[in-house]
């Protein structure tokens, strides 16, 4: 699976819109639907539950506003905390804000310190919080009302799902831009971003769910993306099949040379790791005077005592 930077993801989106004529609002709608599907897969929401969507002024906020609409139509009690003046919302996000208001979703504008008590009350009463404040393009430290609200979220014990990336995490390198949402799960679109996988961003991301939103399948290759990681399916596809009548000598042999007095644990862990990763036959070369210790620690690994002149380390 390819891993992209925020800049590369913007190029992928622009290519879909400009070269293939896919409207941005279609991609936004697809993103919202995939977020909603992930929410239902992770949580059993009912009409008694209350979901609070935190929405910023950009496209990430637009994704959150569309999520609010779908949950609302499903009968879930939804309310929006808008961290911007409504007149600042434009483009596709504005379309979704106008729809949300028309269908009757409560929208609370939190733009100053006087609004913090309202935000605190609504967040504390939520069953689930959706973070759609900032996307992957955040380029400056989080300050002011945004930082105050993020700190409120992190103090609650309410589960949080982040849209695309936890707000406050740098999508390029994963560092915290002053303060950031600690999400339980993150739903990202098309490809994982570097900030999801690099620490400390990895820790703030929680469970990472990469979903498709209708981008061309060759998007990453078309813009020259080189970064990648292996998901479970890709890793499994690279594991060779084994004959049912095979034996351990046919599945790779590993020699480990390790250990000294007081440091036998590393030798044992390394040899066991070789077995766990698939090696059929593992032999551990160990200082001779420590051989009895490793014989007790290890069952499947064979040991080979090596000269140590009784010192407990290799000569």
């Amino acid at each position: 699976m390819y891993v992209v930077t925020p800049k590369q993801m913007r190029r992928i989106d622009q290519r879909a819109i400009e070269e293939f004529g896919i409207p941005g609002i279609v991609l936004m709608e697809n993103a919202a639907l995939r977020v909603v599907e992930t929410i239902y897969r992770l949580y059993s929401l009912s009409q008694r539950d209350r979901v609070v969507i935190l929405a910023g002024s950009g496209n990430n906020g637009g994704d959150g506003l569309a999520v609010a609409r779908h949950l609302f139509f499903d009968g879930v009690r939804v309310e929006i905390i808008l961290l911007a003046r409504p007149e600042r919302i434009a483009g596709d996000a504005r379309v979704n804000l106008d729809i949300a208001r028309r269908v009757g979703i409560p929208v609370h504008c939190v733009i100053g310190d006087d609004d913090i008590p309202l935000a605190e009350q609504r967040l504390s009463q939520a069953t689930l919080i959706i973070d759609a404040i900032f996307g992957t393009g955040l380029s400056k430290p989080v300050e002011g009302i945004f930082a105050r609200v993020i700190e409120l979220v992190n103090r609650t014990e309410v589960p949080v799902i982040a849209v695309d990336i936890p707000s406050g995490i740098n999508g390029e390198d994963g560092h915290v831009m002053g303060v950031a949402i600690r999400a339980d799960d993150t739903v990202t679109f098309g490809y994982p971003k570097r900030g999801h996988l690099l620490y400390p961003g990895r820790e703030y991301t929680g469970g990472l769910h990469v979903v498709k939103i209708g981008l061309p399948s060759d998007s990453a290759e078309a813009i020259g993306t080189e970064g990648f990681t292996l998901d479970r399916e890709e890793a499994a596809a690279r594991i060779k099949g084994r004959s049912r009548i095979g034996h351990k000598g046919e599945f790779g042999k590993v020699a480990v040379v390790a250990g000294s007095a007081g440091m036998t644990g590393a030798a044992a862990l390394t040899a066991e790791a070789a077995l766990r990763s698939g090696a059929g036959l593992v032999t551990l070369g160990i200082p001779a005077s420590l051989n009895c210790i490793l014989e007790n620690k290890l069952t499947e690994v064979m040991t080979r005592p090596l000269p140590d002149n009784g010192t407990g380390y290799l000569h």
Side-chain angles (χ1 to χ4, degrees), residues 158-175:
V158 179
V160 179
I161 291 184
V163 176
D164 209 14
I165 196 167
S167 293
I169 293 297
N170 185 293
E172 176 78 29
D173 57 21
H175 80 262

Side-chain angles (χ1 to χ4, degrees), residues 217-266:
S217 60
D218 67 342
S219 294
E221 297 98 321
I223 67 161
T225 303
E226 295 182 346
F228 71 94
T229 185
L230 294 180
D231 61 24
R232 290 177 181 271
E233 291 74 20
E234 290 168 333
R238 284 161 173 77
I239 298 175
K240 295 180 180 179
R242 294 191 173 190
S243 169
R244 295 187 180 185
I245 59 172
H247 59 80
K248 62 184 179 182
E250 295 179 346
F251 304 131
K253 301 175 183 179
V254 173
V256 178
V257 182
S260 61
M263 298 183 182
T264 57

